[in-house]
Amino acid sequence: MNRRTFLAISLSLACSRTPKATAERDARGTASRIVSLSPSTTETISELGALRSLVGRSRYCDWPSEVKALPDVGGYVDPNVEAIVALRPDLVVGARGPAGRRIDDTLRAQGIDTYFPPTESVAEVLAMIRGLGARIDRQADGERVASRVESRLAQIAEATKSLDHPRVLLLFGVQPIVAAGPKSFGDELLSRAGARNAVTQGDAYPTLDVEAVAGMDPDVIVDAAVAEEHGAQRISKTAGGWSRVRAVQNDRVLALADEVVLRPGPRIAEGVATLARALHPGLSL
């Protein structure tokens, strides 16, 4: 699930039966049947070399491509609990979503272990990678993957530190306008990509109007809402009040269609590199 959808959804989750899951762990006590409810944890399982243990995935999990052949059990805000239990998992993992503890409590009532860590910062993403590695007896792989991400982020920081840092408005939605605010995941991505967030006050994901955007006067707008219907046409010199925004006048609106940039998983460093290259044409990373 992408973050703009994540912001708008809440969960009403109920389950009418409470039989214990029947899956058994292998001889070492390692989870041998895993269901993943978020793309970030699915990608982490793959990077840890444990893809064979994955028996189910969310509808949004699409990388690596072979996971698309696995049973779809819904999403982490609307999981099909009966479908999950039918797969006999001994571990269900996912991002901590708007359902809070309700998914966790419901699955644990079925006798299923869970792991839903926060991933709202790079530090939390790294902790998730290491934590998932520990839970499936792949600690060394977790450390390897996390260290690789840290090394790549350090390389990006070195490459961008002496560059001009443009003021950037990162948008997750256009109707309504939803932006990355202070202390949000998107705010950190901008900083690590060699930019400054044009939004300096308010909530982590504020809703804005075009007048507010024009007042912020960003150098660049990064439109991550292009997947919305007609998303690519919603910010233009002829669309509503956008003609008053300097970045639009100067053709400094960057369409960001690559989901890897916003996925808080093991490919996050490559997402930051993608964003950095878009903001700094000619940058070699």
Side-chain angles (χ1 to χ4, degrees):
M1 170 178 285
N2 60 44
R3 285 179 176 272
R4 50 190 174 270
T5 304
F6 172 94
L7 297 172
I9 297 178
S10 62
L11 173 71
S12 174
L13 179 64
C15 185
S16 61
R17 61 194 185 102
T18 57
K20 296 293 184 180
T22 58
E24 294 182 356
R25 292 175 180 262
D26 65 21
R28 297 177 300 168
T30 301
S32 58
R33 297 182 64 82
I34 306 170
V35 171
S36 175
L37 300 182
S38 71
S40 58
T41 46
T42 295
E43 294 181 13
T44 301
I45 289 167
S46 175
E47 291 295 293
L48 295 176
L51 203 55
R52 289 185 179 181
S53 297
L54 195 65
V55 297
R57 48 97 188 182
S58 83
R59 71 173 67 92
Y60 305 104
C61 299
D62 56 8
W63 190 92
S65 59
E66 52 262 42
V67 304
K68 297 177 185 178
L70 294 172
D72 171 351
V73 297
Y76 56 84
V77 297
D78 60 344
N80 184 328
V81 176
E82 291 190 355
I84 293 172
V85 172
L87 292 172
R88 300 182 296 110
D90 40 34
L91 179 64
V92 176
V93 300
R96 182 179 295 179
R101 294 186 56 87
R102 297 182 67 183
I103 295 175
D104 192 18
D105 291 343
T106 299
L107 292 173
R108 285 185 176 275
Q110 303 289 329
I112 301 170
D113 286 340
T114 63
Y115 182 52
F116 296 112
T119 52
E120 283 296 314
S121 68
V122 169
E124 288 179 345
V125 171
L126 294 170
M128 177 273 290
I129 293 170
R130 291 183 169 106
L132 186 50
R135 279 162 177 78
I136 63 174
D137 198 29
R138 288 181 176 267
Q139 292 94 329
D141 292 305
E143 186 58 40
R144 171 184 56 79
V145 174
S147 295
R148 184 188 68 204
V149 173
E150 290 172 327
S151 177
R152 181 64 164 143
L153 289 172
Q155 179 188 33
I156 297 167
E158 180 65 24
T160 59
K161 70 179 183 180
S162 62
L163 301 178
D164 289 337
H165 284 38
R167 294 175 60 257
V168 178
L169 181 67
L170 173 58
L171 299 182
F172 299 124
V174 176
Q175 292 185 341
I177 301 171
V178 179
K183 299 182 180 180
S184 67
F185 185 69
D187 181 76
E188 183 176 4
L189 295 185
L190 289 175
S191 177
R192 288 180 177 273
R196 294 173 291 149
N197 195 347
V199 183
T200 59
Q201 298 179 340
D203 299 333
Y205 298 98
T207 299
L208 309 171
D209 55 30
V210 175
E211 287 72 21
V213 172
M216 290 175 184
D217 192 31
D219 300 313
V220 181
I221 294 174
V222 175
D223 180 10
V226 291
E228 293 181 356
E229 185 178 1
H230 305 300
Q233 290 80 45
R234 286 182 173 176
I235 301 179
S236 71
K237 297 175 184 177
T238 59
W242 288 102
S243 62
R244 300 196 300 274
V245 180
R246 180 172 58 89
V248 178
Q249 296 170 359
N250 295 339
D251 297 317
R252 292 293 287 153
V253 179
L254 306 179
L256 183 63
D258 191 345
E259 287 284 357
V260 68
V261 177
L262 302 179
R263 284 189 176 176
R267 296 190 293 162
I268 187 57
E270 292 313 311
V272 172
T274 297
L275 184 56
R277 286 191 293 265
L279 294 173
H280 303 284
L283 180 65
S284 178
L285 280 174

